[in-house]
Amino acid sequence: MQVRGRPGVGTAVALSLLVLVAVSAVGMIVGSVHIPASDAVRYLWADVVGGTIAPQDVPGYRIVTDSRLPRVLTSIFVGAGLSVVGVVVQALVRNALADPYILGISSGASVGATAVVLFGALGGLGLYALPSAAFLGALGATVIVLVLARSAGGLEPTRLVLMGTALGYGFSAITTVLVFLAPAGDAARSVMFWLLGSLAAATWHSVWLVGTVSVVGVVLASACARHLNALSMGDDVAASVGVHPGRFRLALFVVSAVIVGVIVSVCGAIGFVGLIMPHVTRLLVGADHRRVLLLSPVLGAVFVVVADIVSRTLVPPYELPIGAITAAVGVPVFVALMRRRERVTT
């Protein structure tokens, strides 16, 4: 039954997709070099159908197809992936304040990725060294949090959040120490910028990497939507419908670690996407995860694309860390959502 005042999930998804197309088009046009919309469309069409480009148009063509298009697509997949992880983690621990950062997953991924950037760890893996290290860091952080959060009564959501928050600070401290010990000052500065999030290094390789894990994550989470509904109402309810809470949590935490690890390896730590997008989605379409997991990835994609546009156009010719933009938006939005929730419950 549709709640009065809320749009149907199909309508909400359709409108969100239209907004996503619009902001993606803006992302193809704006930047340090302005490219008219007609030229951007012409370059993209030539790239798709194999058309010809005049010699004087080659620089603009390269900017659109080799720089801005992969950057926009990476932004879309990053936003979708982080939003889905936020939805999943909040359901698994039954806490609306949970996200990959609060549970220490992102901080663990940052430790592994920083070790690669500054010290060349896992150098034998070549292009896959950074995502592999970030994934191992995220997975290691997940395992440590799960082990330490387990009590005699099983895995308690509140204990999990508290333990994840504490260990997240610990992993952040390790990252700070690694930056301090870095042999090259320039590398340390670039890592600090990267840790706040940046899509400047997005390439077609990152599009396929982040796109693959994000799409797989969205599909897996959507397939588990009914189980997430049951688990969000308590372990006893989940067990009554045939879900093993412990195994289910572990499996989805591993999936979340993979998604976060890959995203952090590509663009660093981008906060608040996985925290506020699930809240905004539930305000629009309700708490049913079958609806939430349809809309949340699209809203997350819109948010990150817009944040990336702002980060590279707000103070030209400089580029701000995208994490600073998402925090500037996310903090007041989250405070407003919490105040609204308090008014509803009182």
Side-chain angles (χ1 to χ4, degrees):
M1 186 175 86
Q2 183 176 330
V3 178
R4 181 175 298 178
R6 285 176 176 162
V9 65
T11 301
V13 171
L15 291 175
S16 299
L17 286 173
L18 288 176
V19 174
L20 179 59
V21 171
V23 297
S24 298
V26 173
M28 301 295 296
I29 297 169
V30 301
S32 57
V33 177
H34 177 74
I35 296 177
S38 58
D39 288 348
V41 172
R42 183 161 53 89
Y43 298 153
L44 290 173
W45 181 252
D47 189 55
V48 171
V49 303
T52 58
I53 295 294
Q56 65 270 21
D57 289 335
V58 170
Y61 170 80
R62 291 299 180 193
I63 290 174
V64 170
T65 60
D66 294 344
S67 178
R68 292 183 184 171
L69 180 57
R71 183 165 183 159
V72 168
L73 292 175
T74 301
S75 301
I76 291 172
F77 290 129
V78 166
L82 290 176
S83 294
V84 166
V85 171
V87 172
V88 168
V89 169
Q90 288 176 11
L92 292 181
V93 301
R94 300 198 299 276
N95 191 313
L97 297 178
D99 80 336
Y101 293 86
I102 291 177
L103 293 181
I105 300 175
S106 294
S107 299
S110 296
V111 171
T114 301
V116 172
V117 174
L118 297 181
F119 302 99
L122 303 181
L125 297 179
L127 289 174
Y128 299 99
L130 196 57
S132 298
F135 165 65
L136 291 175
L139 185 60
T142 301
V143 171
I144 293 173
V145 170
L146 290 175
V147 170
L148 295 181
R150 184 173 294 276
S151 64
L155 196 62
E156 298 178 1
T158 301
R159 183 182 174 91
L160 185 63
V161 172
L162 293 175
M163 195 62 67
T165 302
L167 289 175
Y169 281 112
F171 294 132
S172 296
I174 293 174
T175 300
T176 302
V177 171
L178 291 177
V179 172
F180 180 79
L181 296 176
D186 291 339
R189 283 191 292 272
S190 66
V191 166
M192 290 306 297
F193 184 85
W194 173 77
L195 286 176
L196 291 173
S198 174
L199 287 154
T203 63
W204 284 109
H205 174 73
S206 64
V207 171
W208 294 115
L209 186 61
V210 179
T212 299
V213 297
S214 294
V215 170
V216 171
V218 170
V219 172
L220 289 176
S222 298
C224 297
R226 292 181 182 272
H227 293 343
L228 290 172
N229 282 338
L231 192 65
S232 63
M233 291 185 287
D235 288 4
D236 292 337
V237 175
S240 68
V241 296
V243 178
H244 190 292
R247 294 174 186 171
F248 186 64
R249 279 196 179 93
L250 180 60
L252 285 188
F253 271 129
V254 171
V255 172
S256 299
V258 172
I259 297 173
V260 173
V262 171
I263 289 176
V264 169
S265 73
V266 169
C267 59
I270 302 177
F272 285 95
V273 182
L275 183 60
I276 66 173
M277 286 301 105
H279 285 276
V280 174
T281 304
R282 285 191 286 266
L283 285 176
L284 293 174
V285 297
D288 189 337
H289 285 88
R290 292 171 296 181
R291 292 168 168 260
V292 172
L293 287 167
L294 284 175
L295 182 59
S296 183
V298 185
L299 293 181
V302 171
F303 183 40
V304 174
V305 170
V306 172
D308 182 53
I309 293 172
V310 173
S311 73
R312 53 191 169 97
T313 58
L314 189 61
V315 287
Y318 302 105
E319 181 173 319
L320 298 174
I322 188 174
I325 306 300
T326 58
V329 176
V331 169
V333 169
F334 186 72
V335 170
L337 289 171
M338 289 297 97
R339 291 179 66 85
R340 179 185 184 278
R341 186 177 179 183
E342 289 174 359
R343 288 196 298 270
V344 170
T345 55
T346 57

